[in-house]
Amino acid sequence: MQRVNVVPEQLSFSPVVQGYWRLNDWNMQAQDILRFVEQGLELGITTTDHADVYGAFTEEGLFGQAMKLAPGLRDKIEIVSKCGILFPCEMQPDVQVVHYNNDRDYIIAAAERSLRELHTEYLDVLLIHRPDPLMDADAVAEAFSRLKQSGKVKHFGVSNFSAAKFALLQSRLDFPLVTNQLEISAIHTEYLFDGNLDYLQQQSVKPMAWSCLGGGGVFHDFQYKALRECAEAIGEQHNASLDQVLMAFVLALPSCPIPIIGSGNIERVRQQAAAVDIKLSRQQWFSLLEAARGYTVP
Amino acid sequence: MQRVNVVPEQLSFSPVVQGYWRLNDWNMQAQDILRFVEQGLELGITTTDHADVYGAFTEEGLFGQAMKLAPGLRDKIEIVSKCGILFPCEMQPDVQVVHYNNDRDYIIAAAERSLRELHTEYLDVLLIHRPDPLMDADAVAEAFSRLKQSGKVKHFGVSNFSAAKFALLQSRLDFPLVTNQLEISAIHTEYLFDGNLDYLQQQSVKPMAWSCLGGGGVFHDFQYKALRECAEAIGEQHNASLDQVLMAFVLALPSCPIPIIGSGNIERVRQQAAAVDIKLSRQQWFSLLEAARGYTVP
Amino acid sequence: MQRVNVVPEQLSFSPVVQGYWRLNDWNMQAQDILRFVEQGLELGITTTDHADVYGAFTEEGLFGQAMKLAPGLRDKIEIVSKCGILFPCEMQPDVQVVHYNNDRDYIIAAAERSLRELHTEYLDVLLIHRPDPLMDADAVAEAFSRLKQSGKVKHFGVSNFSAAKFALLQSRLDFPLVTNQLEISAIHTEYLFDGNLDYLQQQSVKPMAWSCLGGGGVFHDFQYKALRECAEAIGEQHNASLDQVLMAFVLALPSCPIPIIGSGNIERVRQQAAAVDIKLSRQQWFSLLEAARGYTVP
């Protein structure tokens, strides 16, 4: 698989990213996780996606146990993590309300906690997890600058941001935000039409795409019957699975989204990763869009 | 009628444009079309609007038959055409799905087909017909540059684009997009409020306006009764028809839209074109908006 | 109270602004108004907000009667006023339709009328009251430039504008627009999410905020029960009133809105102004947002 240039000469990602959102549900011990990471590497998947908040603030720690077992692993992978969401859970006994925190010192402390949990000395990329109406762009910029200067974080980005909020934060930085991690799928096409992906294409910023399969619903919910049937028919033409067709839908976008694979099953990961070789025709792509939305383009 | 400066010292349009969207429904032979064009010229209407897709990919050919009859005609008119929409029809036997294509080679081939169909050696303006979620701005820019260098197309623009998508494409070009052809009428006022016309005014780009009369509905549908009555009352004050008042509503906008007239009846064309001399007062304009929307401005 | 820097070294406002929208309902004579202004000054409130249209074009005149009584008052206050709205009322016998006028000469005449009514030789700030689909940015820019050159108006801004319309008008000016007066409250959070406040933060333009308490409804309407109860519980923690908590919600925003107080009761003004000292925690702020919207942030 050909790697994706995220920052020219500074940062590249594998063409799909392994997500660890649901790591806690996979019933894996540290040894199992390590083996899963290594199997991914054999497939060419080097980039891993985390967040402090995943697994109710326990996912990074779990992954870190695997990192501890293989000191040489760090140089073979890229680690993306996120901060800023807080919600009531065991690890956050003082939190009563779902909320965001993107204060300068909070971001720095959150990044440092991620380093400890993940047993690493640096993050490749740190993202602000959610657009925060209380985000003071200068405060975030100062946190980012300090983390960069200290070498604790190499690059920075955002997640679920609008173009306006991306532009705001970028305006305060003297280095480029490297990604905006967005929900993009055949059943979540909002960003294809509201200017967000246009803006990223204009800035040559490559989005990461989460939930490319649209959550499990596409596979069995009645409301997605038309999309499912359309994707299956297209799959037959490419000798491809439903997963692969849905991934290929996202990969076809000219903003070049980098899909995050959420599965912990290496066979499913292998299958989804293989979608990078599927080139949907324009007619196939638009027939998926039509099946998903229920109407043709004008 | 005073001509409209579209690109200073390079391109001007007549203040209204003759649209040939429905040419196929007018039951005209080449000789009739030629006569219709010439009658338009007598009114000062020199700019003609086409698209490859009009008449299910036959409109340009029909118009071209008229062009063939009068070799001197080409220098007296401006030809605007569009490409990028494909849909199942006799002329496109391989198309099963309504879709867009704005690949580099497709655009070039489409423009060349338009030249052949229209019996002309150049288009004054070529527009991307619809905002395409698969539009690779670099690919479009390369197609435009090649068509410009070869002299086959003088100027370029878009149609139905958002401000974000316009800005994306413009960012890849070293010459300005000259227009964005948008649906604008008293019953389609969305672009007046969503920033699209603000953006065009800021960039000094003059929109072309399609469906300024809002489709035939305004003339008889019950739901437009209030607008119709309001427009008729205003018409009495200006000694103007309902058509003219609706055209004047669009012509009053500060982004200076250039209306496209859709009629193939020269008397109706004459009437609508005369709307350029009607200056609605602000009270008249806002009373039309209020009648169309059912509520006053705040 | 620490003053707010609106234009560095040129213009500062008190951290809350006294609004005179409803001056006509307060049953005050000139002497009462003067006393009310002076009581505000004792609280540190120097900035006053007006509009030609308030009180059906009579508010400025009423306020001006108080100005006449105290010739030294002008130097102690800032006067913000607005123009552009017209509606049928006794003072506008020729107006039949609610509409806007932002023609060059109209703006100049409106500003001059405000000067006469307010008994002052200059406005500190003049705002275009509403985004006007007929706004010709060049015409507004010329009006602003003339008013600035003549010394009649020191600074200019807008009210209720989208980011796109703000950018349009700014593009025609060689001096910065100093504010955008927007409706912002716990029950009107649209601008927190649509990019408008992001844009203003990016441009370092401080919004003024109107209707921060969300109209009287929050205080008794059943639909705001959850917000009211949440605000009251937070109020207990700060020893603060419902008004103060709602004001603090707006003051917490990183775009630094300057709230306009609408009350003519000096005790209520004192109470609301004291909200500038209340710092809501992030958990408190997000619990208000959640109570107002009925769902948590994602």
Side-chain angles (χ1 to χ4, degrees), chain A residues 197-198 201 250-257, chain B residues 132-137 165:
Chain A
L197 291 182
D198 293 322
Q201 187 183 162
V250 174
L251 284 157
L253 294 170
S255 48
C256 304
Chain B
D132 172 7
L134 298 186
M135 181 187 84
D136 176 342
K165 219 166 186 88

Side-chain angles (χ1 to χ4, degrees), chain A residues 197-216:
Chain A
L197 291 182
D198 293 322
Y199 175 80
L200 294 176
Q201 187 183 162
Q202 183 175 340
Q203 304 296 322
S204 303
V205 171
K206 295 199 176 64
M208 301 173 75
W210 62 271
S211 208
C212 297
L213 306 185

Side-chain angles (χ1 to χ4, degrees), chain B residues 102-131:
Chain B
N102 292 295
D103 287 340
R104 185 194 64 185
D105 294 345
Y106 178 86
I107 291 172
I108 293 171
E112 289 171 345
R113 180 187 177 281
S114 288
L115 295 183
R116 286 193 304 276
E117 295 286 311
L118 290 160
H119 282 277
T120 181
E121 288 175 5
Y122 67 96
L123 299 177
D124 293 278
V125 188
L126 176 68
L127 312 180
I128 301 298
H129 205 152
R130 284 277 173 187

Side-chain angles (χ1 to χ4, degrees), chain B residues 192-199 201-204 249 252-254 281-287 289-290 296-298, chain C residues 85 94-103 130-138 162 164-165 167-169 171-172:
Chain B
L192 285 63
F193 299 100
D194 71 357
N196 202 332
L197 291 182
D198 293 321
Y199 174 80
Q201 187 184 160
Q202 184 175 341
Q203 304 297 321
S204 303
F249 179 89
L253 294 170
S281 73
R282 284 182 163 264
Q283 295 209 58
Q284 289 171 334
W285 193 90
F286 277 91
S287 66
L289 180 69
E290 180 179 331
T296 72
V297 290
Chain C
I85 300 179
D94 297 335
V95 173
Q96 277 94 45
V97 186
V98 187
H99 71 285
Y100 306 144
N101 192 336
N102 292 294
D103 287 340
R130 286 277 173 187
D132 170 7
L134 297 187
M135 181 187 84
D136 175 342
D138 293 298
S162 66
K165 218 165 187 88
L168 162 59
L169 183 52
S171 74
R172 298 309 203 271

